[in-house]
Amino acid sequence: MTTRYVSPKGRGSFRRIGDALRAAGPGDVIVVAGGEYAEQLRLDRSVAVVAEPGGGQVTVTGVPGGEPTVVAEGLECTVRGLTIKAPSDDSGAPAVGVAGGAGLMIEDCTVSGGRIHARGNENTGQSSDLAGYGVTTLMLRGSRLEQGRLAAIHLSGRVQAKIEDSVIEMIDGIGVVLSGPAYLDASRLRLNQTSGYGFRLRGTSKLVATDGTIRQTGMAGVLLEDGATAKLSDVRIEKAGGPGVHATGSARSELTDCRVREARASGLVAQDSASLVAADCAITDAGANGLLVSDSATATVTATRFDRPAYSAVHLTGTANVKLTDCHVREGVEHGVHVTASAKVELIRCGIQDVGLTGLSAVDAATADAEDCRIVGGGTGIRLESTTATNVRTSSVIGTIGTGVELAGQGLSSLDAVRVSGTKAAGIVVGTGAAAAIGASSIENCAGSGLVIWSEATPTVTGLRVRTVAKNGIYVAEKAGGTYTDCDVTGTKYPALHLAKAAAPTFKHLRIRDCAEPIGQEDGAVPVFEDCTVDGVAMVKETPPVAAAATAGGAPAPDVSVPGTLDESMPPDDETLEDVLAELEEQVGLDRVKHDVQSMVKLMQTVRMREEAGLPAPPLSRHLVFAGNPGTGKTTVARLYGRILKALGLLRKGHLVEVDRTALVGEYVGHTGPKTQAAVTQALGGVLFIDEAYSLAPIGIGNDFGAEAIATLVKLMEDHRNDLVVIVAGYVNDMSRFIGSNPGLSSRFTRTLQFEDYTAAELVAIVEHQARGHQYELTGDARGALTTLFEQLPRGEGFGNGRSARQIFQAMTERQAHRMSELTAPTSAQLVALEAADLPESF
């Protein structure tokens, strides 16, 4: 081995590194003194180029012409302590190129302005397992890659690479690209600020990464395509511009003790036929789902946390198949685990806490199987609405704002040893016509009824224990039935059983103890009791009917009251769209609102035509924000909007239910959820109009029950998205704050209609409309005086627009009546005339 010295000032044997390389033999070491070297280094034999210790910085800058600054062609080449810069032209040439079959170690170097590109021997006929001669090797240790273009490192073909204790930063493109059968083992790599992906794997490439970080990527932190494989251990992925890890094709990703934080999209994604395995990981603050699995992809996730995702923590669709063991979801905005289409999920010893909508949700033809799980707080605990069988065993639901468990699907939903406790509404609800089997379960301390069976449902219930619920123990609705064997109902504040008209349940070995009354039975109910007892005394075989009443002796419904103001005049079935639009046009003023409504009608008609033609429909949200001052026609337009949607076939009733804060928010814990549920139930098929909606989110009050009403409303809007329209109304600035108070609101209320104040002329027109409707007429003098009054009327906080106009009309009729009473025999013309003298002196 020979050591050769290079110095730009002639102190060494050579002034240029290239000259020393040409003179060197295999195994030689070239020591380079500090300085700037503008040349290409071609390492065509096994040599080492190293910076002189203590000799200052050695910078090698490539020359224009499209060639890399450093080219390694020998089997065992080394560069150490150098700063390597790509050529300064726009050719896009790499800073370092490693030829097929060559080997290069880069140690304690800085590579700037260009990538490292290692190419494998593509045509050697060798297998793709990287064994034997002809494999390109790259070792990167203690080095820094910065300000590269396209990529920092590109490994293509039969390449075997290893990175240790290095940094990749500020890359205009992808951090690391692997293609073909390339293999990379990266330890303690810090990758930061790329405009593209952190890692992109294609072909059959493989990445093994340990104790690393991937931060601030413009796209996914790690993207796997084709049949690529990635094994990540103790890797932190932070602020990815897309998903944290995204596996597509038939790729396989495996994560152990990894952290994915603040991904702009979902934390982990598997699609196509990809597979994902994760253990001991944490996915926090994802911009979409924590875990998204679609198509025929699979995922096995163990001991992993999903905290505060912007969408459902775990979302499955297609025919995805996922197993979650010892996993936990906390504080999600939407669902904890949401299974759709024909996807399957198995949950073992999982916990879900404080999610906005439903802890575990299964819809469409999805399959869910949960065992030893615990759901605490949030909206609804479990909702199973699938056409296939679903099962929950030895699990608990505690302290939800809404119902503990809802069984609403046509497929058999089975609960076995499930405990429901402390819910603010009913414990378990079996929906209309749903198929359900409940065994060895318990319901206790709920603010609603224990078990609710809706119309035409006939569940099989065995060994159920219902204790200390605020309403009925078991509520069987009209035309519902089922078999209830070996059940106990204890300490209810309403009758233990409520049996509605035409209910036909069968109770075997039922025990009722310490309840307000044993049975509240409506006329027409036909229950069957076999070997049942009340407070230890045998129940007579036929229980006489008890008239239903809205008292503790017989509640009209398990969890609801009637809080809203219902527009009793339902839109007629034969009302046409043209009729309703013509009525809208007749309203005084509202030009901007009329134009907006016409635009929405055209969009809805287009959506309907596209659906009928089998085309995908554009996004369409029917929920609206009405922003404006009082008396500007918001309620009137809301009523017309419901009729328009009915005429379009988008609502089945089109009626209006008007509520405010008092109708939705309770006075004590457990009161708000049922009140909000009641308002929504009343509005199903039509429009729920919430006036002064901003009062549900008062400023500076952290523990207000209004937040509970909002969370319940958001959930119910999702549950009844095809059968409910919600309009929230109030002042412009307050409504902006209200919509921003809950992410679920901002995603559902995307269109605002601005209601402008009426002009003086429009207010006069409203008074004239009122006068004609009551057979009065304004004189010319009265019309002029009224115009002046409205022009001069202060438009402060107390001004009510159309309401003020109607109040002035009422005041005029009262003053006119007083004036007529002083006349002996007023004429017909005098009786109908409203004069200037009839205007109120102050208003």
Side-chain angles (χ1 to χ4, degrees):
M1 180 187 75
T2 302
T3 300
R4 303 177 187 274
Y5 295 92
V6 177
S7 174
K9 297 181 179 180
R11 292 186 296 105
S13 303
F14 303 90
R15 292 191 178 185
R16 295 174 57 82
I17 304 172
D19 295 338
L21 285 171
R22 284 187 286 274
D28 285 358
V29 177
I30 299 171
V31 179
V32 184
E36 299 274 350
Y37 298 85
E39 55 181 306
Q40 182 191 53
L41 308 186
R42 185 171 296 276
L43 286 62
D44 56 2
R45 63 207 75 179
S46 299
V47 296
V49 179
V50 302
E52 181 183 20
Q57 179 173 308
V58 177
T59 300
V60 182
T61 303
V63 296
E67 290 291 325
T69 302
V70 175
V71 177
E73 297 175 340
L75 291 177
E76 297 180 6
C77 303
T78 300
V79 293
R80 182 182 302 119
L82 308 183
T83 295
I84 303 169
K85 294 185 176 181
S88 58
D89 59 353
D90 294 327
S91 63
V96 178
V98 186
L104 175 64
M105 172 182 280
I106 302 175
E107 189 172 13
D108 297 330
C109 291
T110 296
V111 179
S112 178
R115 65 192 180 280
I116 299 174
H117 192 170
R119 298 177 180 272
N121 288 342
E122 303 284 357
N123 301 314
T124 60
Q126 301 287 339
S127 65
S128 62
D129 60 1
L130 302 183
Y133 176 79
V135 175
T136 302
T137 60
L138 173 67
M139 176 70 186
L140 188 70
R141 177 182 295 151
S143 295
R144 180 182 183 87
L145 283 67
E146 63 185 18
Q147 298 179 346
R149 292 182 295 171
L150 303 180
I153 299 176
H154 187 179
L155 310 177
S156 60
R158 290 167 47 78
V159 178
Q160 185 160 346
K162 186 174 181 65
I163 300 176
E164 294 179 350
D165 301 301
S166 295
V167 174
I168 296 174
E169 191 168 32
M170 298 179 65
I171 305 300
D172 184 14
I174 302 172
V176 181
V177 178
L178 287 79
S179 59
Y183 172 90
L184 172 61
D185 183 350
S187 301
R188 298 174 299 282
L189 172 63
R190 305 295 181 257
L191 192 155
N192 186 36
Q193 294 184 356
T194 67
S195 64
Y197 305 105
F199 287 86
R200 183 178 184 181
L201 284 66
R202 306 180 67 183
T204 57
S205 60
K206 183 175 182 180
L207 167 67
V208 176
T210 307
D211 187 16
T213 60
I214 303 170
R215 297 187 71 251
Q216 291 185 310
T217 58
M219 301 172 74
V222 179
L223 173 67
L224 296 91
E225 301 175 279
D226 307 323
T229 302
K231 292 186 177 181
L232 311 180
S233 178
D234 192 17
V235 173
R236 306 296 187 267
I237 302 174
E238 300 179 355
K239 297 185 177 181
V245 177
H246 189 174
T248 68
S250 59
R252 176 181 174 83
S253 56
E254 183 175 328
L255 291 78
T256 304
D257 191 25
C258 293
R259 303 291 181 267
V260 179
R261 185 171 67 90
E262 295 184 63
R264 183 170 296 178
S266 296
L268 306 177
V269 177
Q271 68 181 85
D272 301 326
S273 59
S275 65
L276 181 145
V277 176
D280 299 302
C281 296
I283 316 300
T284 60
D285 299 307
N289 305 112
L291 170 65
L292 173 61
V293 187
S294 64
D295 305 313
S296 60
T298 62
T300 302
V301 184
T302 306
T304 292
R305 295 199 330 264
F306 299 94
D307 293 346
R308 300 178 299 278
Y311 296 170
S312 297
V314 177
H315 184 94
L316 314 180
T317 189
T319 58
N321 196 330
V322 174
K323 182 176 182 179
L324 304 173
T325 305
D326 296 315
C327 293
H328 294 274
V329 173
R330 296 187 301 184
E331 300 180 16
V333 174
E334 296 190 347
H335 303 289
V337 177
H338 189 41
V339 197
T340 69
S342 298
K344 298 180 180 180
V345 68
E346 180 181 1
L347 297 94
I348 300 174
R349 297 186 302 277
C350 292
I352 300 171
Q353 181 176 349
D354 295 333
V355 296
L357 298 180
T358 305
L360 170 61
S361 170
V363 300
D364 304 328
T367 301
D369 192 296
E371 183 174 1
D372 293 333
C373 294
R374 179 181 172 89
I375 299 173
V376 178
T380 298
I382 299 171
R383 182 173 176 82
L384 305 178
E385 193 180 359
S386 176
T387 57
T388 61
T390 50
N391 302 277
V392 179
R393 300 180 299 280
T394 58
S395 298
S396 60
V397 177
I398 302 171
T400 58
I401 293 174
T403 305
V405 179
E406 295 180 1
L407 309 178
Q410 299 302 309
L412 180 63
S413 298
S414 299
L415 304 181
D416 185 15
V418 173
R419 175 174 174 255
V420 180
S421 175
T423 64
K424 304 303 186 294
I428 300 175
V429 173
V430 180
T432 301
I438 302 172
S441 297
S442 65
I443 303 170
E444 58 190 31
N445 300 321
C446 296
S449 294
L451 174 64
V452 177
I453 312 299
W454 286 121
S455 177
E456 300 179 1
T458 56
T460 300
V461 182
T462 305
L464 176 67
R465 306 291 182 262
V466 182
R467 296 186 301 169
T468 58
V469 297
K471 294 188 178 180
N472 304 111
I474 300 175
Y475 181 99
V476 185
E478 185 175 344
K479 298 182 180 179
T483 303
Y484 306 81
T485 306
D486 293 323
C487 297
D488 289 349
V489 180
T490 306
T492 64
K493 295 183 179 180
Y494 280 39
L497 309 179
H498 180 89
L499 310 176
K501 180 180 179 180
T506 297
F507 296 94
K508 301 178 180 180
H509 317 300
L510 170 69
R511 292 171 291 275
I512 298 174
R513 292 183 179 273
D514 301 324
C515 295
E517 291 185 23
I519 302 172
Q521 181 173 324
E522 297 181 14
D523 291 339
V526 286
V528 174
F529 296 97
E530 299 179 8
D531 191 20
C532 300
T533 62
V534 176
D535 294 324
V537 178
M539 183 186 297
V540 295
K541 191 168 186 179
E542 294 184 2
T543 303
V546 179
T551 67
D559 295 306
V560 300
S561 58
V562 182
T565 300
L566 175 64
D567 181 359
E568 297 294 347
S569 56
M570 290 284 185
D573 291 336
D574 59 350
E575 185 173 58
T576 67
L577 177 63
E578 290 74 18
D579 293 336
V580 188
L581 292 177
E583 189 172 336
L584 175 63
E585 283 300 318
E586 291 174 359
Q587 302 300 311
V588 174
L590 303 174
D591 291 342
R592 182 174 177 180
V593 171
K594 293 173 184 176
H595 177 270
D596 289 344
V597 172
Q598 289 279 7
S599 297
M600 287 189 291
V601 168
K602 292 176 182 178
L603 175 60
M604 294 173 189
Q605 289 173 322
T606 302
V607 168
R608 175 57 57 86
M609 288 187 291
R610 287 180 63 87
E611 289 176 341
E612 291 174 352
L615 297 172
L620 176 62
S621 175
R622 300 180 299 176
H623 308 299
L624 298 175
V625 177
F626 282 8
N629 292 326
T632 48
K634 296 188 289 295
T635 304
T636 299
V637 175
R639 185 175 292 108
L640 290 168
Y641 184 62
R643 292 164 57 189
I644 287 171
L645 293 180
K646 181 178 186 296
L648 286 168
L650 299 177
L651 282 178
R652 55 189 174 87
K653 295 182 180 178
H655 64 298
L656 181 79
V657 174
E658 182 179 0
V659 297
D660 57 13
R661 174 185 168 90
T662 60
L664 302 178
V665 178
E667 299 176 359
Y668 52 85
V669 174
H671 194 203
T672 297
K675 290 188 74 173
T676 305
Q677 169 80 60
V680 170
T681 300
Q682 191 181 13
L684 290 179
V687 175
L688 179 66
F689 181 79
I690 306 176
D691 197 14
E692 298 181 350
Y694 52 82
S695 63
L696 296 175
I699 299 174
I701 302 178
N703 296 320
D704 184 73
F705 289 139
E708 180 183 343
I710 293 173
T712 304
L713 178 67
V714 168
K715 174 193 177 299
L716 295 172
M717 289 171 67
E718 175 67 19
D719 292 345
H720 304 288
R721 55 186 176 272
N722 295 323
D723 197 33
L724 176 70
V725 167
V726 178
I727 297 176
V728 291
Y731 294 105
V732 175
N733 293 335
D734 289 324
M735 293 309 296
S736 298
R737 176 180 57 79
F738 168 69
I739 296 300
S741 69
N742 183 295
L745 294 176
S746 58
S747 64
R748 287 165 175 83
F749 291 96
T750 58
R751 182 186 289 270
T752 298
L753 270 59
Q754 298 284 349
F755 285 72
E756 299 172 346
D757 287 344
Y758 289 111
T759 66
E762 289 170 340
L763 292 171
V764 171
I766 292 174
V767 173
E768 289 193 296
H769 178 77
Q770 291 283 313
R772 286 194 298 272
H774 293 82
Q775 295 186 358
Y776 287 95
E777 293 180 2
L778 291 176
T779 66
D781 290 342
R783 190 177 298 107
L786 193 58
T787 301
T788 301
L789 174 62
F790 283 130
E791 288 174 344
Q792 297 176 349
L793 197 62
R795 300 206 174 198
E797 188 172 324
F799 180 68
N801 279 287
R803 183 180 62 211
S804 294
R806 289 187 289 273
Q807 290 171 346
I808 288 176
F809 167 70
Q810 182 177 350
M812 292 178 71
T813 61
E814 292 173 356
R815 289 173 63 87
Q816 191 250 24
H818 181 74
R819 189 165 50 81
M820 292 299 103
S821 68
E822 296 177 351
L823 299 179
T824 304
T827 66
S828 297
Q830 289 175 316
L831 288 172
V832 300
L834 294 176
E835 299 180 353
D838 297 325
L839 265 68
E841 296 177 357
S842 63
F843 186 81

